[in-house]
Amino acid sequence: SKKPVRVAVTGAAGQIGYALLFRIASGEMLGKDQPVILQLLEIPDEKAQNALKGVIMELEDCAFPLLAGIEAHSDPMTAFKDTDYALLVGARPRGPGMERADLLAANAQIFTVQGKALNAVASRNVRVLVVGNPANTNAYIAMKSAPDLPRKNFTAMLRLDHNRAASQIAAKTGKAVAGIEKLAVWGNHSPTMYADYRNATIDGQSVKDLINDEQWNREVFLPTVGKRGAAIIAARGLSSAASAANAAIDHMRDWALGTNGKWVTMGIPSNGEYGIPKDVMFGYPVTCEGGEYKIVEGIAIDEFSQECINKTLKELTDEQDGVKHLL
Ligand code: NAI
């Protein structure tokens, strides 16, 4: 049988943590033959640590055959020791009266510390997924704080946007979501992201031709996907958690086990592809094979798409400029 791999999860006692850990432990992320050791990080606060103890008791009570160990931590320097995968979920939420700059600064502090800890103690090939918002900028900060690790191993979660877009397209066309190929989401995990179905097919047919309604694309589809997070908060009184955890599982599983040629979306550091400046943590369509992702190249960018990409890029470079002095 396989040797266990180490999976670190931060914010482990939070909502997403609760929807995520049981699925990792059951083998849904890394495969039904891959034992895992969970290294769980929460803030030192007594309430958070107690909540984490409760989650661990429940994980124990599932008696998962693949769960080879569980550790509780309050310090990233121990939580990330030798870790092969790190899911950075915990972040500072926006509190009442908090300005955007304060939010960026509070998270810059967290992700600088965690990036440095990964740099110091994680496996040299650790694969990092940042979920905590602002996810792209937090991933950028962690990457910049970990100069000894491969840049390409730092990623941000755009998969929820991708899955939301796929679901809207399936509903609009009346076809099954499983038939969708070649969907892309560009840019920031924020309402500025650009979900792009120009090349997509569903059951082999062009999505654009099937829908044949550019007004729907611009006035219904894009705002619906972009504002889906806010719609869920309005309905549930809490931010999306199960769907976010599901997207994190999809992102890591596809990265580790491959996509079989299928396009998926990952937030990854640019190397200049599609004119995005180097190092910007940008949502791109990728395929994955052998544990590596590869950007889908050669997609034609028309005028409207370029405008959308410029807008989401501008937001990201503004965020990144806003934290540069803190790095
Ligand atoms: P939550 O508030 O329920 O849980 C967050 C947990 O993180 C808390 O238990 C908190 O104690 C912990 N935490 C905070 N700072 C930490 C630190 N420095 N180290 C370790 N743990 C820390 O929040 P929830 O709903 O689980 O969401 C987590 C994050 O995910 C939020 O930032 C949210 O905005 C983001 N999110 C991102 C999505 C995406 O698509 N990228 C989608 C949905 C949520």
Side-chain angles (χ1 to χ4, degrees), residues 10-17 41-43 48 89-93 110 114 130-135 157-161 164 189 239-241 244:
T10 75
Q15 301 199 77
I16 294 176
L41 179 67
E42 261 295 342
I43 52 175
V89 178
R92 179 74 189 277
I110 293 173
Q114 295 190 356
V130 177
V131 175
N133 278 319
M157 193 164 93
L158 267 290
R159 186 58 176 268
L160 183 53
D161 308 279
R164 284 168 172 166
H189 168 66
S239 68
S240 38

Side-chain angles (χ1 to χ4, degrees), residues 7 35 138 142 152 158 180 284 305:
V7 180
N138 290 341
K152 67 176 168 62
L158 267 290
I180 298 182
Y284 280 109
S305 301

Side-chain angles (χ1 to χ4, degrees), residues 31-318:
K32 298 282 181 186
D33 59 347
Q34 178 59 68
V36 294
I37 297 169
L38 290 175
Q39 306 188 160
L40 307 179
L41 179 67
E42 261 295 342
I43 52 175
D45 170 74
E46 194 185 333
K47 218 173 137 208
Q49 288 294 322
N50 272 333
L52 181 56
K53 283 198 188 98
V55 174
I56 290 176
M57 286 189 259
E58 285 202 71
L59 281 163
E60 289 167 351
D61 294 349
C62 293
F64 287 119
L66 290 171
L67 188 52
I70 318 177
E71 305 168 4
H73 296 274
S74 58
D75 178 351
M77 286 294 283
T78 55
F80 296 154
K81 182 93 184 84
D82 297 328
T83 195
D84 302 291
Y85 297 89
L87 290 88
L88 309 187
V89 178
R92 179 74 189 277
R94 191 189 293 235
M98 205 169 170
E99 295 295 334
R100 190 175 173 76
D102 303 334
L103 182 77
L104 279 170
N107 280 298
Q109 208 264 332
I110 293 173
F111 286 86
T112 305
V113 168
Q114 295 190 356
K116 284 182 177 162
L118 287 164
N119 195 54
V121 301
S123 154
R124 294 303 84 187
N125 197 30
V126 62
R127 289 185 171 77
V128 182
L129 168 62
V130 177
V131 175
N133 278 319
N136 297 54
T137 296
N138 290 341
Y140 170 82
I141 294 165
M143 175 183 82
K144 288 289 182 187
S145 305
D148 302 329
L149 297 174
R151 288 163 65 245
K152 67 176 168 62
N153 287 15
F154 286 81
T155 68
M157 193 164 93
L158 267 290
R159 186 58 176 268
L160 183 53
D161 308 279
H162 182 102
N163 289 350
R164 284 168 172 166
S167 166
Q168 293 298 321
I169 290 167
K172 177 73 174 171
T173 56
K175 293 182 180 284
V177 78
I180 298 182
E181 301 274 352
K182 298 190 172 176
L183 177 64
V185 182
W186 305 89
N188 199 4
H189 168 66
S190 94
T192 66
M193 55 91 234
Y194 173 45
D196 175 7
Y197 63 68
R198 292 173 304 133
N199 298 286
T201 59
I202 190 159
D203 299 341
Q205 286 180 274
S206 158
V207 166
K208 193 161 179 256
D209 291 351
L210 273 172
I211 294 176
N212 192 26
D213 186 349
E214 190 51 25
Q215 196 178 357
W216 181 81
N217 177 34
R218 297 184 191 193
E219 290 173 19
V220 180
F221 173 71
L222 287 173
T224 301
V225 177
K227 296 180 192 157
R228 188 70 162 180
I232 287 165
I233 293 175
R236 213 172 78 90
L238 288 167
S239 68
S240 38
S243 55
N246 180 68
I249 298 267
D250 283 351
H251 177 118
M252 282 305 211
R253 183 202 58 223
D254 285 349
W255 192 2
L257 305 179
T259 65
N260 243 323
K262 198 180 161 99
W263 298 13
V264 294
T265 299
M266 292 171 70
I268 54 181
S270 173
N271 282 307
E273 295 88 347
Y274 295 96
I276 306 305
K278 183 163 185 271
D279 280 356
V280 172
M281 199 58 73
F282 204 77
Y284 280 109
V286 301
T287 55
C288 303
E289 199 185 328
E292 304 289 339
Y293 59 78
K294 207 169 118 225
I295 292 180
V296 178
E297 304 222 48
I299 299 173
I301 305 296
D302 61 19
E303 198 184 332
F304 175 70
S305 301
Q306 191 63 58
E307 275 170 26
C308 293
I309 287 174
N310 291 348
K311 186 170 158 206
T312 193
L313 174 63
K314 166 91 170 56
E315 183 183 52
L316 266 177
T317 49
D318 284 351

